[in-house]
Every structure is written in structure tokens, then in C-alpha cells.
């Protein structure tokens, strides 16, 4: 029997020496070598002296803001395929954590997400798409950890101030209502709740929130704080025993793999609760691969959460394509499974929350790092990365220079791992297309006669996972449809009786909230409309505009005609617009330029070159009043524009030289109720 095992072992080692040669063609594939064949640095993986910290998972954020906006109107089967790549275990990214924005009606990076309570006596737990997304994630992975965090808050909580801590009980009630609503209406158990994204925390508010959670029977919901920097939250916890008790996890953003002494002294779990935020190219994938290992090695962080889950917003908005994958074309069905999906899989498919890091983790002598995790039941997963400085820079913080070079690394399995006979091997190489592999399974490594040791030849920008688990797989679907631009002719009459989502497809709210609306008293053609529903500015997270605006279409559009029926609800002071060539959105929305055609309830019109209304091209009298429907038409062709009201010319051949292109848009002059119907745009390419 022993001879058979030895023979099998030697045969496997021959295989290993030429791993993947058959399918790899001429591309370089790493050699997995017997320890005797090459000199190199030695690294011991051992659990004899106990284990390191408990692993809490790898995740991503939907929100902060409106980053999944276009995903919801993808046609099937493509929408389900995208969700599978994100959440389905042992298929793609296999994420352990989904963190969502608690919509607060304000601009939070790439758009606004609606609140469950626009007003004090208003509760609706079906607005937006985060409920749907959490349910889809749970459907694929019932064990997924769910987190909620506010960015902005509806204005009524501030009692006239741009501040959520005016009434601590009221804000806590608002947040706890979201958690209760998630359970009552969607059977979703929220595991972690945050305070206020990247803004000030209030110590008393955190204590009030804990008490209210407990009062509602939500003792199992844990508090994470403060979703900003390690300080001052860590120091505050060390001098306040009640605060220390009520916070379960310290979450920091973009920590650069480092933590601080105070955070470690709290003996709380430390998470990188927002990280990555980098273009999902190979450099972004290198950033993600490096920090997934080094957040623990350098900073004892046991969870890392990417912003954002899926780049499903117009690419020209801020931080375009900074998601683990890209899905920004629901009109075509096209999406791209980017490299960060497979970088995630190297960790997520071979470890689970509740596993433990080994104490024996660290840096490689010639650059790179290694971690190892175990379930305590004999399984072991080792992840080795050699991401170079040039190809692993994240968007923030600044990355100090380091060098990575070719090396041989010998790993010795000790303690309870010394008898492991075989390790599965998964491999990624980023960089030149001729050498590039993403999450490729190599021949397994047979350890029976090597004394539990093996040597890897490591080059720059590689990732290895070596694991006892045999459940990993590289999921795939047939290629999605080819990329197509937004349709040149697009129309929407908003005639939806029971909308599945509160927003109309492809409209991306930048300030304000535009929702499907039914006019019960109007039996005519305007029974179903799109309505701007905020009449008060929210407690802002970003410098959003004083107007409301929702964009749509192709940023490359230049010559186009936009037509829309509009209804002013506010007498005297009300105002609405349609616009073209809108050149900015997201956190830059207040400085958006374009061609804006406004009408006002006081009987005037205006044409401006910006959303703020500083650049006035022309203005005059218009036969307009509130509580009536009007049809506006805006035509932009080359350096000139014209507008009609109810089909009659109101102004024409007004010179508009900047910008040359941008989105179409609708909106209101201030936070006011207004309705839109029969939207149509025709662009000339």
C-alpha cells in the first residue's frame, strides 16, 4: 500500500511540474516544486500555539450612492447571472457580506436613494432596490451577513438643521424602523447597523440606538462605528465603558492596511468597512488582492468591504467602474465580469466567516504576503499574493513604495496540518494578456512524501490559493449580449399600475427623488406620472444642489430633441425644467452645465447654461400657471437651441457653445412637488 501511495505521489509531482501545460499554450505557468529542488525563504504554517483572530468575511457595498441603479432593470436572464457572479457560493465572488445604504433622499456619490420615511408620518418599505437586492443575495447565500448604514437623512429629522443628532430618539427610531421593516416586510435579518457614513458620530446617539434596539427585541443586531477613521472613536471607547460595551466592531474606511494602537487596545473586532473604490481594471484587481491579505497581516482587520458591489450607474458619474464588476447597460443586457470578482473568489470560496486566521501569517522576503485560515476541523486555506507596487495602487490612500521580485517560497505545514496529504491549487496572474490567467485551477499538490513542505516559484502580480477544500469552481455563463449605446430614441409614459420598483427605468436621480405616481382624480392621460416627491432638502452627505434633477441617456449625446409633459404643483414659486447636454452628476451635481429650459408658475420662462441658474441665455413671459399640464420641447443642434411650449415656439436659435455633450434631464427649481409624463428624447448621432 505504501509503495502505491509513493508511486502515486511521484506521478502527481511530475504532473505538478508541468501544471496546466496542456491548456495554457505558450503562456508562462508557475511551477510548484518539491522543497528540495530550489533554494528560497521558508515559512511555517502552524496552529500549535493557538489561532489568530476570527475571520468575519469579505463583502461589498450597494449604495453610497445609487451604485446599483441600472442593475434592477436588466432583462433576464442577465440580471440573475450578474447576481450569481456576486453572491452564489462557489461560483464567482461568493461574497460573505452585503452592506447597503439606508436611503436618506440625499446625494451620496452617484445619485440619491429614497428613504423609507420621506416625512414624519410616512413609512414605505418598498421604495428603492436595496430590499430587493438583499433578498436576492439571501436567496443565493442564506448565510450572508447584512449591514445597513445611513449616508444622508430625510430633512424632517433635522428640525431645520442640517444635522441628524438634533433629536437622538427620533433618529434612532428612524434607523430602528428600517431594521424592523426589513424583517416585517421582507423577512430580512439585519446583522450590523452603522452610525453615519464618514461623518461625525454622537456618543449619546450610539447609546440611545443600542437601548432602542434592545427595547425592540433586536439584541442580536450589532453596532459598527464609526465608518470613518480609527480615531476619535477608538479613544472615545477607551475612556467610556458604556460606549465600549455597546460598540461591537470598529469600522474604518480606506485604512491603507494599517490600524492604530487605540483600536487594538479596545480588543474589539476591527474591520475595513469600506475599501477598494478603484477602477476595476487589472490594477484595481491588484489593489484588491493586496489589501485582502494585508488588511489582516498589517492591521488585524478581519473583514474587508469593497465600495462598490457592482458598477451599475452611468460611467461618467464620479468613480465610474469602481465596482467589483460592471453592469451599466440594461438596455443591451451587456455586462463584464471583471478581474476583482475572481480575486475575491481566491479568499471567499475557500474560507467562511467563523474560520480563524493562523498566527503564522506575514510578508514574503522579496515582496508580497501570505495568510492562512482554518475552520478548526482540519481544513486549511493559504492565500499568497505578490502584487507589485505599480499594479496594485488603490485610489486611496497613498501607497508607500515597495519592491516585489521573483522568488522561491517554501511553506512547511506543522501542527495539526502536518498530515494534510493534498492541496487544491487556484492561480491568478494579472498583467500582459499573453500571460494573464484569472482564477485557474492547476493540478493539485501532493504532500505525502515531502514532509508537509512545498515550494512555490513566485513572479510579480500573482495570486495562489492552496486549500484542502475541493468545492471551488469558476462559474460561467454564455457571453452576454454585445455592448450597445443607449437607444437614440427613448420614451416612457410611466403607465405602470403596480410598479415593481419605485423609480422609472434608466432615470438616475441626482438630487431629489422621482417616483411613479398615480393621480387618483385624473381619469385621463396623466393618471400615471413620474413625481418629484421631496418638499424639503435632506440632511446632506455631499454638496448636492438646491434644485432637484434626474438624468438619463447617453453622455455622448450632443444634438437632440427632448419632449416632456410637466405639471407644476406649487403656485407662484414653483418651477420645472427639461435639459440636455448635462455634463456633471453625483457629488459634482451643483456645478452641472448644460442647456436648461425652465418654466415657472409665476408666468415666466428661462433658458440657462447651468443647473444653478447663474448663466442666463434668455428669459421672458410664458402663459404658465400651476395645476395645469404643459408640453415642453427642447431642441439642441450644434451651437444653437430652441424651445416650444405646447407646440408653439417660445424661443429659438439661442447660442449654446458649452458643453458639447451630456445627458438629458428633468427636474424642479427647488424641493417641491412636480410631475412629469410622456418623456421622449430623440438624439441624432
Amino acid at each position: 500500500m505504501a509503495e502505491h501511495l509513493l508511486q502515486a505521489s511521484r506521478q502527481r509531482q511530475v504532473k505538478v511540474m508541468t501544471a496546466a501545460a496542456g491548456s495554457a499554450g505558450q503562456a508562462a505557468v508557475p511551477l510548484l516544486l518539491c522543497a528540495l529542488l530550489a533554494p528560497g525563504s521558508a515559512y511555517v504554517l502552524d496552529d500549535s500555539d493557538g489561532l489568530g483572530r476570527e475571520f468575519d468575511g469579505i463583502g461589498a457595498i450597494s449604495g453610497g450612492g445609487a451604485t446599483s441603479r441600472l442593475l434592477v432593470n436588466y432583462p433576464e436572464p442577465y440580471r440573475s447571472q450578474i447576481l450569481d457572479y456576486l453572491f452564489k457560493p462557489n461560483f464567482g465572488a461568493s461574497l460573505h457580506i452585503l452592506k447597503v445604504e439606508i436611503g436618506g433622499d440625499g446625494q451620496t456619490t452617484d445619485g440619491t436613494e429614497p428613504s423609507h420615511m420621506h416625512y414624519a408620518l410616512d413609512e414605505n418599505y418598498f421604495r428603492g432596490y436595496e430590499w430587493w437586492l438583499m433578498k436576492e443575495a439571501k436567496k443565493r447565500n442564506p448565510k450572508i451577513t447584512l449591514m445597513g448604514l445611513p449616508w444622508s437623512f430625510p430633512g424632517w429629522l433635522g428640525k431645520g438643521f442640517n444635522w441628524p443628532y438634533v433629536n437622538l430618539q427620533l433618529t434612532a427610531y428612524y434607523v430602528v424602523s428600517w431594521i424592523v421593516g426589513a424583517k416585517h416586510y421582507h423577512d430580512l435579518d439585519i446583522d450590523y447597523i452603522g452610525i453615519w457614513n464618514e461623518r461625525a458620530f454622537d456618543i449619546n446617539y450610539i447609546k440611545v440606538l443600542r437601548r432602542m434596539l434592545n427595547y425592540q427585541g433586536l439584541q442580536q443586531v450589532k453596532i459598527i462605528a464609526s465608518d470613518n477613521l480609527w480615531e476619535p472613536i477608538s479613544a472615545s471607547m477607551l475612556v467610556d465603558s458604556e460606549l465600549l460595551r455597546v460598540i461591537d466592531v470598529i469600522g474604518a474606511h480606506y485604512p491603507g492596511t494599517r490600524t492604530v494602537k487605540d483600536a487594538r487596545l479596545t480588543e474589539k473586532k476591527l474591520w475595513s468597512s469600506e475599501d477598494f473604490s478603484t477602477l476595476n481594471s487589472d490594477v484595481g484587481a491588484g489593489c484588491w488582492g493586496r489589501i485582502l491579505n494585508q488588511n489582516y497581516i498589517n492591521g488585524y482587520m478581519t473583514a474587508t468591504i469593497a465600495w462598490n458591489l457592482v458598477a451599475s450607474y452611468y460611467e461618467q458619474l464620479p468613480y465610474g467602474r469602481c465596482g467589483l464588476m460592471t453592469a451599466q447597460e440594461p438596455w443591451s443586457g451587456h455586462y463584464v465580469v471583471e478581474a476583482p470578482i475572481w480575486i475575491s473568489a481566491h479568499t471567499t470560496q475557500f474560507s467562511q466567516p467563523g474560520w480563524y486566521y493562523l498566527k503564522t501569517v506575514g510578508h514574503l522576503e522579496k515582496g508580497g504576503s501570505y495568510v492562512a485560515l482554518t475552520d478548526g476541523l482540519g481544513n486549511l486555506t493559504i492565500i499568497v499574493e505578490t502584487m507589485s507596487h505599480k499594479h496594485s495602487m488603490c485610489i486611496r490612500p497613498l501607497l508607500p513604495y515597495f519592491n516585489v521580485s521573483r522568488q522561491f517560497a517554501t511553506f512547511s505545514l506543522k501542527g495539526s496540518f502536518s498530515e494534510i496529504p493534498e492541496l487544491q491549487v487556484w492561480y491568478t496572474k494579472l498583467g500582459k494578456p499573453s500571460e494573464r490567467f484569472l482564477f485557474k485551477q492547476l493540478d493539485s499538490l501532493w504532500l505525502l512524501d515531502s514532509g508537509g513542505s512545498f515550494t512555490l516559484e513566485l513572479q510579480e502580480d500573482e495570486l495562489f490559493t492552496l486549500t484542502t477544500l475541493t468545492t471551488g469552481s469558476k462559474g460561467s455563463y454564455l457571453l452576454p449580449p454585445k455592448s450597445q449605446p443607449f437607444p437614440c430614441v427613448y420614451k416612457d409614459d410611466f403607465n405602470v399600475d403596480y410598479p415593481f420598483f419605485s423609480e422609472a427605468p434608466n432615470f438616475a436621480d441626482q438630487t431629489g427623488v422621482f417616483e411613479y405616481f398615480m393621480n387618483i382624480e385624473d381619469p385621463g392621460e396623466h393618471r400615471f406620472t413620474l413625481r418629484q416627491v421631496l418638499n424639503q432638502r435632506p440632511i446632506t452627505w455631499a454638496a448636492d444642489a438646491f434644485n432637484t434633477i434626474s438624468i438619463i441617456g447617453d453622455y455622448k449625446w450632443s444634438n437632440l430633441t427632448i419632449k416632456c409633459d410637466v405639471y407644476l404643483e406649487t403656485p407662484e414659486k414653483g418651477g420645472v425644467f427639461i435639459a440636455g447636454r448635462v455634463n456633471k452628476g453625483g457629488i459634482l451635481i451643483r456645478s452641472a452645465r448644460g442647456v436648461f429650459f425652465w418654466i415657472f408658475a409665476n408666468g415666466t420662462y428661462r433658458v440657462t447654461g447651468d443647473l444653478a441658474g447663474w448663466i442666463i441665455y434668455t428669459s421672458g413671459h410664458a402663459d404658465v400657471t400651476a395645476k395645469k399640464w404643459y408640453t415642453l420641447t427642447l431642441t439642441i443642434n450644434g451651437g444653437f437651441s430652441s424651445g416650444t411650449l405646447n407646440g408653439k415656439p417660445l424661443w429659438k436659435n439661442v447660442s449654446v457653445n458649452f458643453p458639447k455633450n451630456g445627458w438629458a434631464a428633468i427636474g424642479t427649481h427647488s424641493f417641491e412637488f412636480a410631475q412629469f409624463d410622456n418623456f421622449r428624447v430623440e438624439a441624432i448621432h
Side-chain angles (χ1 to χ4, degrees), residues 52-68:
R53 295 194 175 208
E54 184 180 3
F55 175 63
D56 295 307
I58 306 300
I61 300 167
S62 172
T67 53
S68 306

Side-chain angles (χ1 to χ4, degrees), residues 53-54 56 230 234 249-252 254-273 275 290-304 357 361-363 369-371:
R53 295 194 175 208
E54 184 180 3
D56 295 307
W230 295 117
S234 300
V249 175
I250 303 178
Y254 308 97
T257 76
R258 304 285 172 181
T259 186
V260 298
K261 186 179 179 184
D262 278 356
R264 295 191 296 274
L265 285 173
T266 65
E267 298 184 349
K268 294 289 182 176
K269 287 178 176 289
L270 309 177
W271 289 9
S272 177
S273 53
D275 220 326
R290 176 176 55 78
I291 65 177
L292 285 186
N293 265 20
Q294 296 196 26
N295 275 351
Y296 182 73
I297 294 165
N298 300 337
Y300 302 102
M301 286 167 262
T302 53
T304 297
Y357 283 100
V361 300
H363 293 273
S369 68
Y370 64 96
V371 295

Side-chain angles (χ1 to χ4, degrees), residues 423-467:
L423 292 171
Q424 309 297 310
V425 184
W426 292 83
Y427 173 65
T428 287
K429 169 78 171 176
L430 300 171
K432 295 179 194 164
S434 60
E435 300 172 358
R436 191 171 182 263
F437 290 96
L438 291 176
F439 199 58
K440 179 176 181 60
Q441 187 167 17
L442 304 183
D443 282 355
S444 57
L445 197 54
W446 198 244
L447 301 175
L448 271 184
D449 59 355
S450 67
S453 292
F454 60 92
T455 299
L456 300 181
E457 179 189 3
L458 301 170
Q459 312 274 2
E460 284 186 4
D461 302 317
E462 291 183 331
L463 198 57
F464 281 95
T465 297
L466 303 106
T467 179

